[in-house]
Amino acid sequence: MIIVTGGAGFIGSNIVKTLNREGRDDILIVDDLKDGQNYKNLRGLKFIDYCHKDNFLQSIESNDFDGSDVDAIFHEGACSDTMEYDVNFMMTVNYEYSKAMLHYALEHRIPFFYASSASTYGDGSNGFREEDDCENALNPYAFSKLVFDRYVRQLLPDAKSQVVGLRYFNVYGPQEHHKGKMASIFYQLYNQIKETGVAKLFGAYDGYEKGEQRRDFIYVKDVVRVNLWFFKHKGPNGIYNCGTGHAHTYNEAAQAVIDALGKGKIEYRAFPEVLRGKYQSFTESDPSKLMSAGYDEGFYDMRDAVKEYVDFLEDGGYFRYVK
């Protein structure tokens, strides 16, 4: 059996779908469906059971859940809202819960793969290497992820089973509808163009001309591929960047969506005051450590991935159930 926390979420549901395509449906999904939308991501997936995240936590902490037949845990569940400023809430959901999952995995020697974040690098002024000197947290979400990474580092030297953290850069792709304002720029631009014919980008800020802020955009299929590579190849323990190593401007991103749809134009708006000092104007993964671990399966070209994603959205936007 494989456990996927956040299995009704964006990346989690893509991991489940890929496992389904590879013939595995012995999957336990752990999540919280209270937002009333993410359940839709489960409709096209095969899994043996679903458990609410609080009930699952209680069962592992009380030793009521037998981990002897668990092949892996993909811990994708988290609060990913970068505008959530309740630090206590963030630490409970993203830090304490992750600690419980980690210790359960270590105790039962279950391979444990978890979602970290490129937000742990702050403004990126010190680079994007998996090192203390590069790390900084500009909001509670980033802080919760960074503190857990540092906790993991303390335990790695004595770990008797696989533990891998992946620092996701800017992920986009199918099944992100429920994320609302936290959905990728590609999903937001797609909807803007469909509704108004206009792709709206931020104007000049932080030394960048309008629309020229740059991000390392990574297709969700690549994120899944990296996760499953570590699982299948028993890749070395550690915390790794999960990005393409190549940044694109928001102008390039918008143009890719416009070209995929065959319509639309770009306009700019003033940079929001609420984001000043809390926004990453540039991200670009340093993939050296990931490559040195042996990963050699490459990454999608952004324009090809965006075209595939837009076509998916035009075709309904959710995975379909296949018997």
Side-chain angles (χ1 to χ4, degrees):
M1 181 174 67
I2 293 174
I3 298 171
V4 181
T5 73
F10 172 32
I11 295 171
S13 66
N14 275 272
I15 289 174
V16 174
K17 188 63 174 180
T18 302
L19 289 169
N20 288 168
R21 288 168 177 154
E22 295 180 354
R24 296 206 64 160
D25 56 12
D26 56 334
I27 299 166
L28 170 63
I29 288 178
V30 178
D31 213 316
D32 183 346
L33 304 179
K34 69 179 179 182
D35 75 2
Q37 294 298 317
N38 55 347
Y39 81 91
K40 297 176 183 177
N41 284 349
L42 297 177
R43 296 177 299 186
L45 306 180
K46 296 179 183 178
F47 50 96
I48 56 170
D49 206 355
Y50 166 86
C51 187
H52 186 275
K53 67 179 182 65
D54 293 342
N55 295 335
F56 185 73
L57 179 62
Q58 183 178 4
S59 68
I60 64 172
E61 289 184 332
S62 60
N63 295 315
D64 291 336
F65 188 87
D66 180 13
S68 61
D69 64 343
V70 178
D71 296 328
I73 297 172
F74 293 92
H75 179 42
E76 308 299 314
C79 174
S80 59
D81 188 348
T82 58
M83 300 302 289
E84 172 60 66
Y85 293 107
D86 185 337
V87 184
N88 288 330
F89 172 76
M90 276 291 185
M91 291 298 285
T92 298
V93 175
N94 291 358
Y95 180 65
E96 296 295 343
Y97 199 101
S98 297
K99 282 174 59 181
M101 293 297 299
L102 171 64
H103 283 285
Y104 176 79
L106 289 171
E107 179 183 353
H108 294 274
R109 299 196 176 186
I110 301 168
F112 182 70
F113 311 95
Y114 75 91
S116 183
S117 170
S119 66
T120 55
Y121 296 116
D123 64 8
S125 58
N126 294 317
F128 297 92
R129 300 177 306 279
E130 302 91 332
E131 301 171 1
D132 291 337
D133 291 345
C134 298
E135 297 165 354
N136 190 19
L138 300 180
N139 56 54
Y141 168 73
F143 177 73
S144 68
K145 290 294 186 178
L146 178 56
V147 173
F148 184 64
D149 281 350
R150 289 176 174 172
Y151 184 80
V152 168
R153 283 175 176 149
Q154 297 177 74
L155 301 187
L156 281 179
D158 298 318
K160 300 297 190 297
S161 56
Q162 192 179 17
V163 178
V164 174
L166 295 175
R167 287 184 167 171
Y168 299 153
F169 277 68
N170 292 85
V171 189
Y172 64 97
Q175 304 256 114
E176 58 172 324
H177 307 67
H178 64 286
K179 291 176 66 67
K181 65 181 183 298
M182 292 296 112
S184 75
I185 186 65
F186 297 98
Y187 181 69
Q188 296 180 45
L189 292 174
Y190 168 82
N191 285 307
Q192 289 175 16
I193 294 168
K194 292 284 287 186
E195 293 170 9
T196 69
V198 176
K200 294 183 178 180
L201 302 178
F202 291 152
Y205 172 72
D206 198 26
Y208 292 85
E209 295 299 320
K210 54 187 182 181
E212 288 297 301
Q213 296 88 0
R214 303 173 67 88
R215 293 286 181 93
D216 189 336
F217 300 111
I218 180 169
Y219 197 30
V220 69
K221 284 188 175 182
D222 288 326
V223 168
V224 174
R225 187 183 300 167
V226 173
N227 271 279
L228 295 185
W229 182 89
F230 274 97
F231 174 42
K232 294 172 183 177
H233 292 81
K234 297 179 169 49
N237 286 1
I239 296 167
Y240 299 87
N241 285 335
C242 188
T244 67
H246 181 70
H248 290 276
T249 68
Y250 279 89
N251 284 322
E252 291 176 301
Q255 193 59 53
V257 178
I258 289 169
D259 292 344
L261 281 171
K263 64 179 181 180
K265 64 179 181 178
I266 300 173
E267 293 182 357
Y268 304 93
R269 62 189 180 95
F271 190 87
E273 288 295 325
V274 69
L275 292 180
R276 290 184 180 272
K278 305 167 186 173
Y279 182 81
Q280 290 176 303
S281 295
F282 173 79
T283 66
E284 187 172 74
S285 169
D286 181 335
S288 302
K289 187 176 179 182
L290 179 64
M291 299 300 109
S292 67
Y295 181 77
D296 59 358
E297 298 190 10
F299 301 97
Y300 272 75
D301 173 80
M302 186 193 75
R303 292 181 62 83
D304 292 342
V306 171
K307 180 63 168 67
E308 181 177 287
Y309 182 28
V310 167
D311 289 346
F312 182 86
L313 290 171
E314 291 285 274
D315 192 38
Y318 286 100
F319 292 140
R320 292 192 173 97
Y321 189 82
V322 179
K323 292 185 178 180

